[in-house]
Amino acid sequence: MTTSDRYLAFANSAVGSRLADALGLPRPVPLERMPDYGDEVAEARAIHAPLAVVGGAGDAPLLPGLARELHWLGIPSLAHAGRLGWISYANKAGTMSGRFNANEGVRPKALLFDASAIADTGALASLYTFFHDTLASLDRCGRVLVLGLPPSIAATPHASTAQRALEGFVRSLAKELRRGATAQLLYIAPRARESLHSTLRFFLSPRAAYVSGQAITLQNPVFETPPMRDRRPLAGQVAVVTGAARGIGEAIATVLARDGAHVVCVDIPAAQDALSTVATRLDGSALACDITSPEAGATLIAHLSAHAPQGLDILVHNAGVTRDKTLVRMSDAQWQSVLDINVGAPQRLNSALLDAGALRAGSRVVGVASISGIAGNRGQTNYATSKAAVIGMVEAWSPILAERQISINAVAPGFIETKMTAAVPFAIREAGRRMNSLGQGGQPVDVAEAIAWLAHPASGALTGQVVRVCGQSLLGA
């Protein structure tokens, strides 16, 4: 961990676990995350769920494609009693499957349910049946995925109503899960059915350790999905990460480099030494640049011309600051600097890169927002305004960039263990750690893994999304 969560360690010790159980105290489970890059054996073992149980409602049209994806991901499966047709789908795809029997003591790591054919609220009972039968068997740090149809394109008002109901079900179920398990809802448009791979790869692995209770929509892909390549999927691509000298930015740069990208690490001149260290370690390049300066766009474009003349594939707007004060005590400079760094500069960089043609077709832009921009936070009117504006930037730019075959999304971190949060007063820090469904703070790598998923070449069906990396924070939920 970046900082020490002593309660998490104590509650999972031999003595601490007994005491926590006796006193009825929460006992958060240490989350499974991807191993350090370079340990290929450990990485191969950790990548995907070792066993999934699959079910569905009605004709469950997503199941044949899901069978192919599980085969490609190397995930064996079992069929729920109400979906024995799954066995033939799985076997045809090349993955042998059998029937799930809770009485046999099987511990699946994933539960997947195709709810896309539910056409009225009465049929929602199929969700109850499947999860009532399987949930108690879910393994430690298990994954629950419900697959639905975007309500806006459902055939009837009754179907739209039922599909919208899935959000309440999944968000509530995620809050009932224990032992580090998570739940997500994936709304999948018909034309996105062939673009599931990167999303399943993310959510069925330790990459998604600190993401839970999210509703994600896969739309018509804004760019063509390339041939499958999971090992170093970003090889040959160029990524720019602002604020890369430390903390979350360093983690983002590290994960993108792990996945094969050449990373241009950008940070302020005062961070030159740390920035150069990061860039050298990642075999990337360093650009010391104040992104708020009028020349920042031209400086970045010149650097790309020299170091990555083929163009830019991934742009991550991570640089950000806080200047916390209640509004009546906040100076004009504290207001202006936060807004300019956190959202003004990213918009200017977007425009400069687009005008110069540096963001080519197939590029991905990712902003770093915050749950503060969703729920608000006392003493952060400037910061919350700027992060809500990042979300607004994603919503406003997504249809414009889609016409150029470019996607734009954002992640919204919650309480992440960094040097900044380590300086927060103890009581506030503990509240931040515990006020989520997983009962602990996240790690910088959790934000980085979510960004790597959005940046994956097969994530063309994801645009205009804001994904909370917050362990399903109880704030703004």
Side-chain angles (χ1 to χ4, degrees), residues 8 13 53 72 97 99 101 125 167 172 204 227 250 258 260 284 305 324 359 394 427 437 461:
L8 178 66
S13 67
V53 176
W72 290 333
S97 182
R99 296 179 61 169
N101 186 338
E167 290 195 35
S172 295
L204 293 177
E250 181 182 359
R258 176 204 70 188
S305 297
D324 294 354
L359 275 173
V394 167
S437 296

Side-chain angles (χ1 to χ4, degrees), residues 275-336:
L275 184 67
S276 297
T277 299
V278 172
T280 300
R281 176 172 62 83
L282 301 179
D283 198 23
S285 60
L287 174 61
C289 173
D290 179 354
I291 61 169
T292 64
S293 72
E295 299 80 24
T299 301
L300 177 56
I301 291 166
H303 183 90
L304 290 171
S305 297
H307 295 271
Q310 69 269 40
L312 181 61
D313 301 284
I314 302 160
L315 173 60
V316 182
H317 294 298
N318 166 72
V321 297
T322 57
R323 299 286 186 267
D324 294 354
K325 292 285 184 182
T326 56
L327 188 61
V328 295
R329 295 177 179 273
M330 186 181 297
S331 69
D332 179 72
Q334 289 169 328
W335 173 273
Q336 295 292 347

Side-chain angles (χ1 to χ4, degrees), residues 69-332:
E69 293 293 346
L70 293 187
H71 169 66
W72 290 333
L73 292 170
I75 301 175
S77 64
L78 296 174
H80 181 249
R83 185 50 59 181
L84 298 184
W86 170 259
I87 297 175
S88 62
Y89 292 143
N91 293 348
K92 184 177 180 180
T95 302
M96 296 302 293
S97 182
R99 296 179 61 169
F100 171 72
N101 186 338
N103 297 324
E104 294 177 351
V106 175
R107 287 285 181 186
K109 197 75 168 185
L111 305 176
L112 298 96
F113 187 85
D114 179 4
S116 63
I118 291 179
D120 59 66
T121 51
L124 292 168
S126 60
L127 287 166
Y128 166 82
T129 300
F130 175 77
F131 288 105
H132 185 268
D133 292 349
T134 60
L135 204 58
S137 301
L138 187 63
D139 201 1
R140 180 181 179 275
C141 293
R143 302 287 184 255
V144 172
L145 292 183
V146 175
L147 314 180
L149 180 73
S152 61
I153 62 173
T156 69
H158 288 285
S160 179
T161 299
Q163 290 296 319
R164 182 60 180 80
L166 298 177
E167 290 195 35
F169 176 84
V170 171
R171 294 187 197 278
S172 295
L173 186 65
K175 293 179 179 179
E176 295 182 9
L177 297 177
R178 295 292 181 266
R179 302 197 305 155
T182 62
Q184 328 290 343
L185 169 61
L186 307 181
Y187 281 129
I188 303 165
R191 289 181 60 188
R193 291 178 182 176
E194 302 302 317
S195 301
L196 273 171
H197 183 74
S198 64
T199 298
L200 291 176
R201 174 180 177 269
F202 176 66
F203 283 120
L204 293 177
S205 78
R207 296 178 181 90
Y210 202 60
V211 181
S212 191
Q214 296 299 287
I216 308 297
T217 300
L218 280 73
Q219 307 170 46
N220 297 342
V222 299
F223 50 82
E224 185 176 350
T225 299
M228 203 74 65
R229 185 178 65 192
D230 279 344
R231 183 67 178 165
R232 294 174 64 81
L234 303 180
Q237 300 201 2
V238 176
V240 167
V241 180
T242 65
R246 62 183 64 81
I248 292 174
E250 181 182 359
I252 295 167
T254 300
V255 170
L256 295 182
R258 176 204 70 188
D259 285 356
H262 171 87
V263 183
V264 177
C265 302
V266 180
D267 216 312
I268 57 176
Q272 174 74 70
D273 291 346
L275 184 67
S276 297
T277 299
V278 172
T280 300
R281 176 172 62 83
L282 301 179
D283 198 23
S285 60
L287 174 61
C289 173
D290 179 354
I291 61 169
T292 64
S293 72
E295 299 80 24
T299 301
L300 177 56
I301 291 166
H303 183 90
L304 290 171
S305 297
H307 295 271
Q310 69 269 40
L312 181 61
D313 301 284
I314 302 160
L315 173 60
V316 182
H317 294 298
N318 166 72
V321 297
T322 57
R323 299 286 186 267
D324 294 354
K325 292 285 184 182
T326 56
L327 188 61
V328 295
R329 295 177 179 273
M330 186 181 297
S331 69
D332 179 72

